[in-house]
Amino acid sequence: GPLTGKIAYIDLGQMHAMQDGSGYGPQTRVRGLGPAAAQDKGAVAFLIRSVGSDENRMPHTGTTRYVDGHQTIPSFAVSAPDADQISRLIEWGETVRVHLSSTARTYQTTSQNVVGEITGKTHPEQVIVLGSHMDSWDLGTGAIDDGAGGAITVAAAKAIADSGRRPARTLRVIFYGSEEVSQPTPQTGNGGGVYARGQGAALDKHIIAGESDFGADRVYALRLPAGAQGSDFQKAATRVLYPIGVLASDRVETEGGVDVGPMGPLGVPFFGLAQDGTRYFDLHHTANDTLDKIDPAQLNQNVAAWAGLLWLIADSDVDFRAMKPVTPATP
Ligand SMILES: [Zn+2]
């Protein structure tokens, strides 16, 4: 092929930091599928400008994808300043030589989901899921991805437990295992897929699920299932959350998140407490993902938003599945 014996190099330009993190998706698709495509053209290795929004020299790791049985090649991310330099040299017509060395390896191991709950007082079978994931990339400590999510969801449940009033419905906090290795689906062995499959008919009694997996910066919007747009529930939730800076959103929550996502096709509605992700892709999947990056005041605001919203849902009989989207009147 045209790349026989060469290193494939891709520089998509610097990723832009966005509040909703939307700059990340398009570049990760290239990172994920690029190595297999490069290998098909004869490349011996794959090198990409790190998919992150920072300008320091900490490259971001992340998954790559191969169709089963496809041969793999060593794949690397290079930090933004180093990518700038390589691209500059290529532009000048220099022959670029790169020395690569990797300690990465794949192996089989077993992960676990960790589940704790406050059992509902009058409707214990009605479950609300608060999700996050326990695994992380090993460059940093996984403080923002996703230690923060575990801390936020468990602290929200604890705030409700400490109030001395037990809610009518069950609050189930799940630390999912094995999120980072691939995206869970109802068929995969990730924690999210295994949980959804294992629940069987009990999923019909899952009222709603949400996930915290976007760092610890402040929550700015509440997203609800389509049927809840304009509902009395949305009005009540907005009254509770507005004083801490969380506004109602007309964007419908359809995904939930990577870990709770597999419950969606099986009928479970989702909520989303959208966080400010402007800093998230400066840090995530790098050696800089450490506890000192977490702002305690913003972390507390997350806990307050989760606790306030979850109390409203857990101690009510609101039925998100029964709420049908309001059809706009025809003019
Ligand atoms: Zn994560």
Side-chain angles (χ1 to χ4, degrees):
L3 295 179
T4 299
K6 294 185 174 176
I7 299 168
Y9 170 68
I10 294 188
D11 180 355
L12 297 170
Q14 184 70 356
M15 178 196 148
H16 293 288
M18 311 275 272
Q19 178 168 272
D20 65 357
S22 56
Y24 184 64
Q27 294 208 0
T28 55
R29 276 189 278 284
V30 177
R31 183 192 67 205
L33 300 169
Q39 198 264 337
D40 286 343
K41 293 184 191 302
V44 292
F46 177 83
L47 186 62
I48 188 170
R49 173 191 284 263
S50 184
V51 183
S53 45
D54 63 283
E55 298 281 356
N56 63 44
R57 298 191 71 192
M58 302 281 189
H60 298 239
T61 189
T63 49
T64 54
R65 309 213 170 158
Y66 293 88
V67 178
D68 284 347
H70 200 290
Q71 202 189 323
T72 62
I73 55 172
S75 300
F76 300 80
V78 64
S79 72
D82 293 320
D84 287 343
Q85 178 68 346
I86 293 171
S87 294
R88 220 170 357 241
L89 290 170
I90 292 169
E91 217 168 283
W92 290 346
E94 303 278 342
T95 300
V96 179
R97 291 172 60 88
V98 181
H99 177 81
L100 298 170
S101 153
S102 174
T103 55
R105 65 196 174 101
T106 17
Y107 55 93
Q108 292 288 326
T109 187
T110 302
S111 184
Q112 305 279 342
N113 291 336
V114 176
V115 182
E117 65 179 40
I118 300 170
T119 309
K121 196 168 158 186
T122 47
H123 294 291
E125 77 291 356
Q126 296 184 10
V127 173
I128 300 149
V129 171
L130 293 67
S132 65
H133 66 86
M134 222 172 15
D135 59 322
S136 73
W137 290 95
D138 57 357
L139 304 171
T141 60
I144 66 153
D145 184 14
D146 182 23
I152 290 162
T153 51
V154 85
K158 185 172 186 300
I160 289 171
D162 290 349
S163 74
R165 280 181 62 195
R166 194 153 138 213
R169 294 164 155 172
T170 293
L171 285 172
R172 183 170 293 164
V173 178
I174 306 180
F175 295 175
Y176 289 95
S178 188
E179 187 260 5
E180 297 287 6
V181 292
S182 66
Q183 306 289 286
T185 72
Q187 287 78 39
T188 59
N190 308 67
V194 168
Y195 177 81
R197 264 200 315 281
Q199 287 300 301
L203 269 195
D204 297 343
K205 293 278 165 44
H206 279 49
I207 302 301
I208 199 162
E211 183 172 318
S212 180
D213 186 14
F214 205 42
D217 283 349
R218 59 184 294 276
V219 174
Y220 63 89
L222 168 64
R223 298 183 186 139
L224 292 170
Q229 293 297 337
S231 65
D232 289 344
F233 176 81
Q234 188 185 43
K235 292 187 188 100
T238 305
R239 269 198 301 279
V240 168
L241 297 175
Y242 180 79
I244 56 169
V246 183
L247 304 177
S249 173
D250 56 12
R251 184 161 146 191
V252 169
E253 185 63 51
T254 54
E255 315 265 309
V258 166
D259 287 300
V260 297
M263 289 189 275
L266 304 172
V268 179
F270 297 127
F271 68 86
L273 285 165
Q275 292 170 277
D276 177 1
T278 314
R279 287 197 310 152
Y280 188 70
F281 291 108
D282 287 352
L283 306 169
H284 121 301
H285 296 188
T286 75
N288 270 333
D289 181 0
T290 49
L291 189 60
D292 56 301
K293 308 307 185 307
I294 289 182
D295 170 2
Q298 296 195 66
L299 181 71
N300 283 343
Q301 187 261 8
N302 272 267
V303 175
W306 276 78
L309 177 69
L310 269 300
W311 176 262
L312 276 185
I313 301 172
D315 205 45
S316 72
D317 57 2
V318 57
D319 181 358
F320 294 100
R321 295 175 199 240
M323 292 181 179
K324 294 288 169 258
V326 183
T327 325
T330 36

